[in-house]
Amino acid sequence: MADRKEGSRSVADLTIGEKAVIRSFSDPWMSLKLLEMGCLPGTEVSLHCKAPLGDPICLNVSGYCLSMRKSEAATILVESH
């Protein structure tokens, strides 16, 4: 698990329609839950939509939509595609 470094991006930083590749996780406890939901390192994700107030968000991961809180999404570190 990686610590979030300055300049790194998370899924919470994506704009609607933007794609990225999962690189690591900043929270070891949350990473177990995310791994079980298909958020594996090397997997491409894209931000599908956000709720009107910005939380929760909906991601496209491995061909399905996954909704999560923005705070959970902030623990998924990504690299731009």
Side-chain angles (χ1 to χ4, degrees):
M1 303 309 138
D3 291 325
R4 188 162 179 186
K5 298 176 182 164
E6 194 169 322
S8 66
R9 296 184 70 209
S10 73
V11 169
D13 300 322
L14 298 177
T15 58
I16 293 174
E18 185 177 6
K19 295 181 180 181
V21 176
I22 297 173
R23 288 293 160 218
S24 60
F25 304 96
S26 63
D27 181 338
W29 294 105
M30 182 59 66
S31 67
L32 294 174
K33 178 180 173 183
L34 294 167
L35 288 167
E36 290 173 348
M37 293 189 293
C39 295
L40 305 171
T43 302
E44 182 181 270
V45 297
S46 65
L47 182 62
H48 178 67
C49 61
K50 295 182 180 183
L53 297 176
D55 197 8
I57 65 172
C58 181
L59 305 173
N60 286 325
V61 181
S62 300
Y64 70 96
C65 288
L66 175 63
S67 294
M68 67 177 66
R69 294 179 184 102
K70 196 170 182 180
S71 61
E72 295 170 335
T75 68
I76 306 171
L77 304 178
V78 296
E79 181 178 278
S80 295
H81 195 4

